[in-house]
Amino acid sequence: MSIKEIAGETTIINAVVNYVSSRTASLATLLVIVVLLIWGLFERDLRHRKTEEMQSHIKNLETKIDSERTTSGLTPTGKTNPEDIRK
């Protein structure tokens, strides 16, 4: 029923499909995807480095609040402990 309602109408989906299907747009879209992928990987690395820098400070604060606190088992960069992946 929803397809019947939009039959013959110009929709956002049609506009996006037409844009992406053009050759020039495909190259531009590919370039945008590559740039966003590189940016995402850079941001991920930056987050891990910042987590590693802050680890000792956070650990000290957590120990002050609760000296009985146990570790979560994460690596210093905040990644999952490799031993937990194998379980």
Side-chain angles (χ1 to χ4, degrees), residues 63-77:
T63 304
K64 282 183 182 178
I65 294 171
D66 183 4
S67 61
E68 302 293 318
R69 183 177 170 87
T70 60
T71 180
S72 64
L74 296 177
T75 66
T77 58

Side-chain angles (χ1 to χ4, degrees), residues 6-78:
I6 62 170
E9 300 281 327
T10 300
T11 63
I12 293 173
I13 295 171
N14 290 348
V16 169
V17 168
N18 289 337
Y19 177 78
V20 172
S21 66
S22 71
R23 184 172 197 102
T24 306
S26 295
L27 293 174
T29 303
L30 179 62
L31 179 62
V32 168
I33 289 170
V34 168
V35 168
L36 290 175
L37 180 63
I38 291 169
W39 175 74
L41 292 172
F42 173 77
E43 285 291 324
R44 180 178 181 216
D45 183 58
L46 181 65
R47 185 184 71 239
H48 287 166
R49 284 188 281 139
K50 188 64 174 178
T51 302
E52 190 170 17
E53 289 174 11
M54 295 293 295
Q55 180 203 16
S56 62
H57 176 68
I58 293 170
K59 197 171 200 174
N60 289 336
L61 292 175
E62 290 173 343
T63 304
K64 282 183 182 178
I65 294 171
D66 183 4
S67 61
E68 302 293 318
R69 183 177 170 87
T70 60
T71 180
S72 64
L74 296 177
T75 66
T77 58

